Coordinates of all heavy atoms in Angstrom, one line a residue:
I23 N -47.7 -2.9 22.7 CA -48.4 -1.7 22.6 C -49.1 -1.7 21.2 O -48.4 -1.5 20.2 CB -47.5 -0.5 22.8 CG1 -46.9 -0.6 24.1 CG2 -48.2 0.8 22.6 CD1 -45.8 0.5 24.4
K24 N -50.4 -1.8 21.1 CA -51.0 -1.9 19.8 C -51.7 -0.5 19.5 O -51.9 -0.2 18.3 CB -52.1 -3.0 19.9 CG -51.5 -4.3 20.0 CD -52.5 -5.4 20.1 CE -51.9 -6.8 20.3 NZ -52.8 -7.8 20.4
S25 N -52.1 0.2 20.5 CA -52.8 1.5 20.3 C -51.8 2.6 19.9 O -50.8 2.8 20.6 CB -53.6 1.8 21.5 OG -54.1 3.1 21.4
P26 N -52.1 3.4 18.9 CA -51.3 4.6 18.6 C -51.2 5.6 19.7 O -50.2 6.2 19.9 CB -51.9 5.2 17.3 CG -52.8 4.1 16.8 CD -53.2 3.2 17.9
K27 N -52.4 5.7 20.4 CA -52.4 6.7 21.5 C -51.5 6.3 22.7 O -50.8 7.1 23.2 CB -53.8 6.9 22.1 CG -54.7 7.7 21.2 CD -56.0 8.0 21.9 CE -56.9 8.9 21.0 NZ -58.1 9.3 21.7
K28 N -51.5 5.0 23.0 CA -50.6 4.5 24.0 C -49.1 4.6 23.6 O -48.3 5.0 24.4 CB -50.9 3.0 24.4 CG -52.2 2.9 25.1 CD -52.4 1.4 25.5 CE -53.7 1.2 26.2 NZ -54.0 -0.1 26.6
L29 N -48.9 4.4 22.3 CA -47.5 4.5 21.9 C -47.1 6.0 21.9 O -45.9 6.3 22.3 CB -47.4 4.0 20.4 CG -46.0 4.0 19.8 CD1 -45.1 3.1 20.6 CD2 -46.1 3.6 18.4
R30 N -48.0 6.9 21.6 CA -47.7 8.3 21.6 C -47.4 8.8 23.1 O -46.5 9.5 23.4 CB -48.8 9.1 21.0 CG -48.5 10.6 20.8 CD -49.6 11.4 20.1 NE -50.4 10.5 19.3 CZ -51.8 10.6 19.3 NH1 -52.4 11.4 20.1 NH2 -52.5 9.8 18.5
T31 N -48.3 8.3 24.0 CA -48.1 8.6 25.4 C -46.8 8.1 25.9 O -46.1 8.8 26.6 CB -49.3 8.1 26.2 OG1 -50.5 8.6 25.7 CG2 -49.1 8.4 27.7
L32 N -46.4 6.9 25.6 CA -45.2 6.3 26.0 C -44.0 7.2 25.4 O -43.0 7.4 26.1 CB -45.1 4.9 25.5 CG -43.9 4.1 26.0 CD1 -43.9 4.0 27.5 CD2 -43.8 2.7 25.4
G33 N -44.1 7.6 24.2 CA -43.1 8.4 23.6 C -42.9 9.8 24.3 O -41.8 10.2 24.5
V34 N -44.0 10.3 24.6 CA -44.0 11.6 25.3 C -43.4 11.4 26.7 O -42.5 12.3 27.2 CB -45.4 12.2 25.5 CG1 -45.4 13.4 26.4 CG2 -45.9 12.7 24.1
M35 N -43.7 10.4 27.4 CA -43.1 10.1 28.7 C -41.6 9.9 28.6 O -40.8 10.3 29.4 CB -43.8 8.9 29.4 CG -45.2 9.2 29.8 SD -46.1 7.8 30.4 CE -45.2 7.5 31.9
A36 N -41.2 9.1 27.6 CA -39.8 8.9 27.3 C -39.1 10.2 27.0 O -37.9 10.5 27.5 CB -39.6 7.9 26.2
A37 N -39.7 11.1 26.2 CA -39.1 12.3 25.9 C -38.9 13.2 27.1 O -37.9 13.9 27.3 CB -39.9 13.1 24.8
A38 N -39.9 13.2 28.0 CA -39.9 14.0 29.2 C -38.8 13.5 30.1 O -38.0 14.2 30.8 CB -41.2 13.9 30.0
F39 N -38.6 12.1 30.1 CA -37.5 11.6 31.0 C -36.1 12.0 30.4 O -35.3 12.4 31.2 CB -37.6 10.0 31.0 CG -36.5 9.3 31.7 CD1 -36.5 9.3 33.1 CD2 -35.5 8.7 31.0 CE1 -35.5 8.7 33.8 CE2 -34.5 8.1 31.7 CZ -34.5 8.1 33.1
V40 N -36.0 11.9 29.1 CA -34.7 12.3 28.5 C -34.4 13.8 28.7 O -33.3 14.2 29.0 CB -34.7 11.9 27.0 CG1 -33.5 12.6 26.3 CG2 -34.7 10.4 26.8
A41 N -35.5 14.6 28.6 CA -35.3 16.0 28.8 C -34.9 16.3 30.3 O -34.1 17.2 30.6 CB -36.6 16.8 28.5
A42 N -35.5 15.5 31.2 CA -35.2 15.7 32.6 C -33.7 15.3 32.9 O -33.0 16.0 33.6 CB -36.1 14.9 33.5
V43 N -33.3 14.3 32.3 CA -31.9 13.8 32.4 C -30.9 14.9 31.9 O -29.9 15.3 32.5 CB -31.6 12.5 31.7 CG1 -30.2 12.1 31.7 CG2 -32.4 11.4 32.5
F44 N -31.2 15.4 30.7 CA -30.4 16.5 30.1 C -30.4 17.7 31.0 O -29.4 18.4 31.1 CB -30.8 16.8 28.7 CG -30.3 15.8 27.7 CD1 -31.2 15.3 26.7 CD2 -29.0 15.3 27.7 CE1 -30.7 14.4 25.7 CE2 -28.6 14.4 26.8 CZ -29.4 14.0 25.8
L45 N -31.6 18.1 31.5 CA -31.7 19.2 32.4 C -30.8 19.1 33.6 O -30.1 20.0 34.0 CB -33.1 19.5 32.8 CG -33.4 20.7 33.7 CD1 -33.0 22.0 32.9 CD2 -34.8 20.8 34.1
M46 N -30.8 17.9 34.2 CA -30.0 17.6 35.4 C -28.5 17.6 35.0 O -27.7 18.1 35.8 CB -30.4 16.3 36.0 CG -31.7 16.4 36.8 SD -32.1 14.8 37.6 CE -33.5 14.3 36.7
M47 N -28.2 17.1 33.9 CA -26.8 17.2 33.4 C -26.3 18.6 33.2 O -25.2 19.0 33.7 CB -26.6 16.3 32.2 CG -26.7 14.9 32.4 SD -26.7 13.9 30.9 CE -25.5 14.7 29.8
I48 N -27.1 19.4 32.6 CA -26.8 20.8 32.4 C -26.6 21.6 33.7 O -25.7 22.3 33.9 CB -27.8 21.5 31.5 CG1 -27.6 20.9 30.1 CG2 -27.6 23.0 31.4 CD1 -28.7 21.3 29.1
L49 N -27.6 21.3 34.6 CA -27.5 22.0 35.9 C -26.3 21.5 36.7 O -25.6 22.3 37.4 CB -28.8 21.7 36.7 CG -30.0 22.5 36.4 CD1 -31.2 22.0 37.2 CD2 -29.8 24.0 36.6
G50 N -26.0 20.3 36.6 CA -24.8 19.7 37.3 C -23.5 20.4 36.7 O -22.6 20.7 37.5
A51 N -23.4 20.5 35.4 CA -22.3 21.2 34.8 C -22.1 22.6 35.2 O -21.0 23.1 35.5 CB -22.3 21.0 33.3
V52 N -23.2 23.3 35.3 CA -23.2 24.7 35.6 C -22.9 24.9 37.1 O -22.1 25.8 37.4 CB -24.5 25.4 35.2 CG1 -24.6 26.8 35.8 CG2 -24.7 25.5 33.7
L53 N -23.5 24.1 37.9 CA -23.4 24.3 39.4 C -22.2 23.6 40.0 O -22.0 23.6 41.2 CB -24.7 24.0 40.1 CG -25.8 24.9 39.7 CD1 -27.1 24.4 40.4 CD2 -25.6 26.3 40.2
R54 N -21.5 22.8 39.2 CA -20.4 22.0 39.8 C -19.3 22.9 40.4 O -18.7 22.5 41.4 CB -19.8 21.1 38.7 CG -18.8 20.1 39.3 CD -18.6 19.0 38.4 NE -19.8 18.3 38.3 CZ -20.2 17.4 37.3 NH1 -19.3 17.2 36.4 NH2 -21.3 16.8 37.3
V55 N -19.2 24.1 39.9 CA -18.2 25.0 40.4 C -18.6 25.5 41.7 O -17.8 25.8 42.6 CB -18.0 26.2 39.4 CG1 -17.0 27.2 39.9 CG2 -17.7 25.7 38.0
G56 N -19.9 25.6 41.9 CA -20.5 26.2 43.2 C -20.7 25.2 44.3 O -20.0 24.2 44.4
D57 N -21.7 25.4 45.0 CA -22.0 24.6 46.2 C -22.7 23.3 45.8 O -23.7 23.3 45.1 CB -23.0 25.5 47.0 CG -23.3 24.8 48.4 OD1 -22.6 23.9 48.8 OD2 -24.4 25.2 49.0
P58 N -22.1 22.2 46.2 CA -22.7 20.9 45.9 C -24.1 20.7 46.5 O -24.9 20.0 45.9 CB -21.7 19.9 46.5 CG -20.5 20.6 46.8 CD -20.8 22.0 46.9
H59 N -24.4 21.3 47.6 CA -25.7 21.2 48.2 C -26.7 21.9 47.3 O -27.8 21.3 47.1 CB -25.7 21.8 49.6 CG -27.0 21.7 50.3 ND1 -27.6 20.5 50.7 CD2 -28.0 22.7 50.5 CE1 -28.8 20.8 51.3 NE2 -29.0 22.1 51.2
A60 N -26.4 23.0 46.8 CA -27.3 23.7 45.9 C -27.6 22.9 44.6 O -28.7 22.9 44.1 CB -26.7 25.1 45.5
W61 N -26.5 22.2 44.1 CA -26.7 21.3 43.0 C -27.7 20.2 43.3 O -28.6 19.9 42.5 CB -25.3 20.7 42.6 CG -25.5 19.8 41.5 CD1 -25.6 20.0 40.2 CD2 -25.5 18.3 41.6 NE1 -25.7 18.9 39.4 CE2 -25.6 17.8 40.3 CE3 -25.5 17.4 42.7 CZ2 -25.7 16.5 40.1 CZ3 -25.5 16.1 42.4 CH2 -25.7 15.6 41.1
G62 N -27.6 19.6 44.4 CA -28.5 18.6 44.8 C -29.9 19.1 44.9 O -30.9 18.4 44.4
V63 N -30.1 20.2 45.5 CA -31.4 20.7 45.7 C -32.1 21.1 44.4 O -33.2 20.8 44.1 CB -31.4 22.0 46.6 CG1 -32.7 22.7 46.6 CG2 -31.1 21.6 48.0
L64 N -31.3 21.8 43.5 CA -31.9 22.2 42.2 C -32.1 21.0 41.3 O -33.1 21.0 40.6 CB -30.9 23.2 41.5 CG -30.9 24.6 42.1 CD1 -29.9 25.5 41.4 CD2 -32.3 25.2 42.0
S65 N -31.2 20.0 41.3 CA -31.5 18.9 40.5 C -32.7 18.1 40.9 O -33.5 17.5 40.1 CB -30.3 18.0 40.4 OG -29.9 17.5 41.6
A66 N -32.9 18.0 42.3 CA -34.1 17.3 42.8 C -35.3 18.1 42.4 O -36.3 17.5 42.0 CB -34.0 17.2 44.3
L67 N -35.3 19.4 42.5 CA -36.5 20.2 42.1 C -36.8 20.1 40.6 O -37.9 20.0 40.2 CB -36.3 21.7 42.5 CG -36.3 22.0 43.9 CD1 -36.0 23.5 44.2 CD2 -37.7 21.7 44.5
A68 N -35.7 20.0 39.8 CA -35.9 19.9 38.3 C -36.5 18.5 38.0 O -37.3 18.3 37.2 CB -34.6 20.1 37.6
G69 N -36.0 17.5 38.7 CA -36.5 16.1 38.5 C -38.0 16.0 38.9 O -38.8 15.4 38.2
L70 N -38.3 16.6 40.1 CA -39.7 16.6 40.5 C -40.6 17.4 39.5 O -41.7 16.9 39.2 CB -39.9 17.3 41.9 CG -39.4 16.4 43.0 CD1 -39.4 17.2 44.3 CD2 -40.3 15.2 43.2
L71 N -40.1 18.5 39.0 CA -40.9 19.2 38.0 C -41.1 18.4 36.7 O -42.2 18.4 36.2 CB -40.2 20.6 37.6 CG -40.9 21.4 36.6 CD1 -42.2 21.9 37.1 CD2 -40.0 22.6 36.2
A72 N -40.0 17.8 36.3 CA -40.2 16.9 35.1 C -41.1 15.8 35.3 O -41.9 15.4 34.4 CB -38.8 16.4 34.6
A73 N -41.1 15.2 36.5 CA -42.0 14.1 36.8 C -43.4 14.6 36.8 O -44.3 13.9 36.4 CB -41.6 13.4 38.1
D74 N -43.6 15.7 37.4 CA -45.0 16.3 37.4 C -45.5 16.6 36.0 O -46.7 16.3 35.7 CB -45.0 17.6 38.2 CG -44.9 17.4 39.7 OD1 -45.1 16.2 40.2 OD2 -44.5 18.3 40.4
V75 N -44.7 17.1 35.2 CA -45.1 17.4 33.8 C -45.4 16.2 33.1 O -46.4 16.1 32.4 CB -44.0 18.3 33.1 CG1 -44.3 18.4 31.6 CG2 -44.0 19.7 33.7
A76 N -44.6 15.1 33.2 CA -44.8 13.9 32.5 C -46.1 13.2 33.0 O -46.9 12.7 32.2 CB -43.6 12.9 32.7
G77 N -46.3 13.2 34.3 CA -47.5 12.7 34.9 C -48.8 13.4 34.5 O -49.8 12.8 34.1
W78 N -48.7 14.7 34.4 CA -49.8 15.5 34.0 C -50.1 15.2 32.5 O -51.3 15.1 32.2 CB -49.5 17.0 34.2 CG -50.5 17.9 33.5 CD1 -51.7 18.3 34.0 CD2 -50.4 18.6 32.2 NE1 -52.4 19.1 33.1 CE2 -51.6 19.3 32.0 CE3 -49.4 18.6 31.3 CZ2 -51.8 20.0 30.9 CZ3 -49.6 19.3 30.1 CH2 -50.8 20.0 29.9
W79 N -49.1 15.1 31.7 CA -49.3 14.9 30.3 C -49.9 13.5 30.1 O -50.8 13.3 29.3 CB -48.0 14.9 29.5 CG -48.2 14.9 28.1 CD1 -48.3 13.8 27.3 CD2 -48.3 16.0 27.2 NE1 -48.5 14.1 26.0 CE2 -48.5 15.5 25.9 CE3 -48.2 17.4 27.4 CZ2 -48.6 16.3 24.8 CZ3 -48.4 18.2 26.3 CH2 -48.5 17.7 25.0
H80 N -49.5 12.5 30.9 CA -50.0 11.2 30.8 C -51.5 11.1 31.2 O -52.3 10.5 30.5 CB -49.2 10.2 31.7 CG -49.7 8.8 31.7 ND1 -49.7 8.0 30.6 CD2 -50.3 8.1 32.6 CE1 -50.2 6.9 30.9 NE2 -50.6 6.9 32.1
L81 N -51.8 11.8 32.3 CA -53.2 11.8 32.8 C -54.1 12.5 31.8 O -55.2 12.2 31.5 CB -53.3 12.4 34.1 CG -52.8 11.6 35.3 CD1 -52.9 12.4 36.6 CD2 -53.6 10.3 35.4
R82 N -53.6 13.6 31.2 CA -54.4 14.4 30.2 C -54.6 13.5 29.0 O -55.7 13.5 28.4 CB -53.6 15.6 29.8 CG -54.3 16.5 28.9 CD -53.5 17.8 28.6 NE -53.7 18.1 27.2 CZ -52.8 18.1 26.3 NH1 -51.6 17.9 26.6 NH2 -53.1 18.4 25.1
A83 N -53.6 12.7 28.6 CA -53.8 11.8 27.4 C -54.7 10.7 27.7 O -55.5 10.3 26.9 CB -52.4 11.3 27.0
A84 N -54.7 10.2 29.0 CA -55.6 9.1 29.4 C -57.0 9.5 29.5 O -57.9 8.7 29.3 CB -55.1 8.5 30.7
R85 N -57.3 10.8 29.8 CA -58.6 11.3 30.0 C -59.3 11.6 28.7 O -60.5 11.9 28.7 CB -58.6 12.5 30.9 CG -58.3 12.1 32.4 CD -58.4 13.3 33.2 NE -58.0 13.0 34.6 CZ -57.5 13.9 35.4 NH1 -57.4 15.1 35.1 NH2 -57.1 13.5 36.6
R86 N -58.6 11.8 27.6 CA -59.2 12.1 26.4 C -60.1 11.1 25.9 O -59.8 9.9 26.0 CB -58.1 12.3 25.3 CG -57.5 13.7 25.4 CD -56.6 13.9 24.2 NE -55.3 14.4 24.7 CZ -54.1 14.1 24.2 NH1 -54.0 13.4 23.1 NH2 -53.1 14.6 24.7
P87 N -61.2 11.4 25.3 CA -62.2 10.4 24.8 C -61.6 9.6 23.7 O -60.8 10.2 22.9 CB -63.4 11.2 24.3 CG -62.9 12.6 24.3 CD -61.7 12.8 25.1
R88 N -61.8 8.3 23.7 CA -61.3 7.5 22.7 C -62.2 7.4 21.5 O -63.4 7.5 21.6 CB -61.1 6.1 23.2 CG -60.1 6.0 24.4 CD -60.0 4.7 25.0 NE -59.1 4.7 26.1 CZ -58.6 3.7 26.7 NH1 -58.9 2.5 26.3 NH2 -57.8 3.8 27.7
G89 N -61.6 7.3 20.4 CA -62.4 7.2 19.2 C -61.9 7.6 18.0 O -60.9 7.8 17.5

């Protein structure tokens, strides 16, 4: 990775991944007492949301004019 923009985009994607993992861990800890099915549904929705945000950020960064 030679370009600073690509390195920044990769860093943002890695940060979004780490945030998604922490969000799923927190949801798991909170909902472990409750219904396991609800935990699965909420963690899947949180993961999809994090993937959408990371993808949107990546596309936004890729569409910016270079220069």
Side-chain angles (χ1 to χ4, degrees):
I23 300 174
K24 297 179 182 178
S25 169
K27 283 188 177 185
K28 287 183 182 180
L29 183 61
R30 189 176 335 132
T31 301
L32 186 63
V34 168
M35 291 174 66
F39 177 75
V40 169
V43 169
F44 281 135
L45 181 63
M46 285 185 249
M47 286 172 38
I48 291 170
L49 282 175
V52 169
L53 294 175
R54 188 158 296 161
V55 180
D57 185 18
H59 180 71
W61 175 80
V63 169
L64 284 177
S65 62
L67 288 174
L70 284 173
L71 178 64
D74 286 342
V75 168
W78 170 79
W79 190 275
H80 177 70
L81 288 176
R82 188 178 139 239
R85 288 183 187 157
R86 278 189 228 149
R88 298 178 184 195

